[in-house]
């Protein structure tokens, strides 16, 4: 099964992708995570992407297409995968179609996360992650049960993304409206698009997604 989680930054795609990946046992592919890893490893791709990501703009289609292609053709994606943060432009959507066509596969669902812009910046700047196990938290929506202690692994070290500040968040939301949202009619025409209410509680959003993918 191939699922695209579609929506602006801060809408909860990453959180739901992780839950879904564990629930239905398919690979989670986040281009944002791949690029952050490249930046950390100081690869050529990482060096090219770093400044662009800091500004909240989109990295070039060529770079993103290359890193996603490398992952999609791997064996662990044979059963399908969840795309989180890709495609973000029409060109990327076309590249994805070409890769899938060449490997005789098809997208099953494109799930649009419906949220208000006013919620997004606060959600983005509230995000933080356990450095040890990667569990995600939010100052507004999901704090650890015990203050400053990870619910999952007990670690007390948390990290915040460099681009989760209000100025970059605003640019990222703008990039979504200008470049990514224009993809919605593309998937609507292909009869793949379903919208959900992503402002509901995390478990509620998961339920909506599961009911779509189990159909
Ligand atoms: P994300 O973690 O999905 O919010 O992505 C973080 C940043 O990585 C974005 O603001 C972009 O700069 C870059 N990025 C991630 N995915 C893509 C993509 N598909 N196309 C272009 N840039 C991307």
């Amino acid at each position: 099964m191939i699922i695209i989680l579609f929506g602006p930054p801060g809408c909860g795609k990453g959180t739901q992708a992780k839950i879904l990946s564990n629930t239905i046992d398919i690979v989670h592919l986040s281009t944002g995570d791949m690029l952050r890893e490249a930046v950390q490893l100081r690869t050529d791709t990482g060096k090219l992407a770093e400044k662009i990501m800091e500004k909240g703009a989109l990295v070039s289609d060529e770079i993103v297409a290359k890193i996603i292609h490398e992952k999609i053709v791997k064996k662990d994606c044979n059963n399908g995968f969840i795309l989180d943060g890709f495609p973000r432009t029409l060109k990327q959507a076309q590249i994805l179609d070409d890769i899938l066509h060449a490997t005789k596969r098809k997208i099953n669902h494109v799930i649009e996360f419906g949220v208000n812009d006013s919620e997004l910046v606060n959600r983005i700047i509230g995000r933080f992650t356990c450095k040890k196990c990667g569990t995600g938290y939010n100052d507004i929506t999901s704090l650890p049960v015990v203050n400053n202690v990870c619910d999952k692994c007990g670690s007390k070290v948390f990290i915040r993304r460099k681009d989760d500040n209000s100025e970059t968040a605003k640019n990222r939301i703008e990039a979504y409206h200008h470049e990514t949202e224009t993809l919605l009619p593309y998937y609507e025409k292909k009869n793949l698009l379903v919208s959900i209410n992503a402002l509901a509680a995390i478990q509620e959003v998961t339920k909506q997604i599961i009911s779509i993918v189990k159909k």
Side-chain angles (χ1 to χ4, degrees):
M1 181 170 306
I2 298 176
I3 303 163
I4 298 179
L5 299 187
F6 195 95
C11 70
K13 297 188 300 290
T15 303
Q16 293 297 334
K18 284 192 190 94
I19 297 173
L20 194 60
S21 164
N22 289 329
T23 314
I24 61 173
D25 198 23
I26 59 172
V27 179
H28 168 202
L29 299 177
S30 155
T31 41
D33 285 349
M34 294 171 206
L35 289 166
R36 278 185 287 281
E37 193 187 357
V39 170
Q40 216 170 16
L41 295 173
R42 306 299 305 150
T43 64
D44 290 345
T45 299
K47 284 180 205 160
L48 282 171
E50 187 172 24
K51 289 275 168 290
I52 301 168
M53 292 170 78
E54 272 174 22
K55 279 191 258 166
L58 294 187
V59 173
S60 79
D61 292 333
E62 288 68 28
I63 290 181
V64 179
K66 185 170 173 278
I67 58 169
I68 200 84
H69 190 185
E70 283 166 7
K71 297 275 180 185
I72 289 177
V73 294
K74 281 197 176 155
K75 231 183 178 172
D76 63 351
C77 283
N78 280 352
N79 274 343
F81 45 87
I82 303 159
L83 288 170
D84 156 19
F86 180 90
R88 265 172 151 103
T89 64
L90 187 58
K91 177 90 185 146
Q92 291 179 17
Q94 287 161 343
I95 292 170
L96 176 64
D97 284 348
D98 291 345
I99 300 171
L100 295 181
H101 183 72
T103 51
K104 297 193 172 61
R105 288 182 288 180
K106 273 202 239 155
I107 299 165
N108 298 84
H109 305 281
V110 179
I111 303 176
E112 184 202 4
F113 284 47
V115 283
N116 303 326
D117 270 13
S118 57
E119 290 278 330
L120 292 175
V121 176
N122 286 337
R123 277 197 186 201
I124 292 172
I125 59 181
R127 298 200 288 209
F128 60 100
T129 309
C130 170
K131 189 170 184 213
K132 195 167 166 204
C133 72
T135 300
Y137 297 96
N138 196 293
D139 294 324
I140 306 169
T141 53
S142 51
L143 282 166
V145 177
V146 179
N147 199 18
N148 283 324
V149 180
C150 176
D151 295 347
K152 219 173 196 173
C153 74
S155 165
K156 295 182 177 166
V157 186
F158 297 93
I159 45 171
R160 289 183 189 256
R161 274 171 50 177
K162 216 172 169 182
D163 60 349
D164 279 350
N165 60 72
S166 76
E167 195 191 331
T168 308
K170 282 179 192 150
N171 291 342
R172 286 158 61 201
I173 294 166
E174 210 173 286
Y176 173 78
H177 289 307
H178 280 126
E179 301 178 65
T180 307
E181 216 170 30
T182 54
L183 266 180
L184 291 173
Y186 181 81
Y187 287 121
E188 206 163 17
K189 270 192 210 130
K190 290 177 183 276
N191 251 330
L192 290 172
L193 190 68
V194 188
S195 298
I196 57 163
N197 169 19
L199 286 175
I202 292 177
Q203 295 90 325
E204 245 338 286
V205 177
T206 306
K207 268 194 205 156
Q208 296 178 63
I209 297 174
I210 298 284
S211 81
I212 293 166
V213 303
K214 288 265 158 85
K215 261 183 202 157

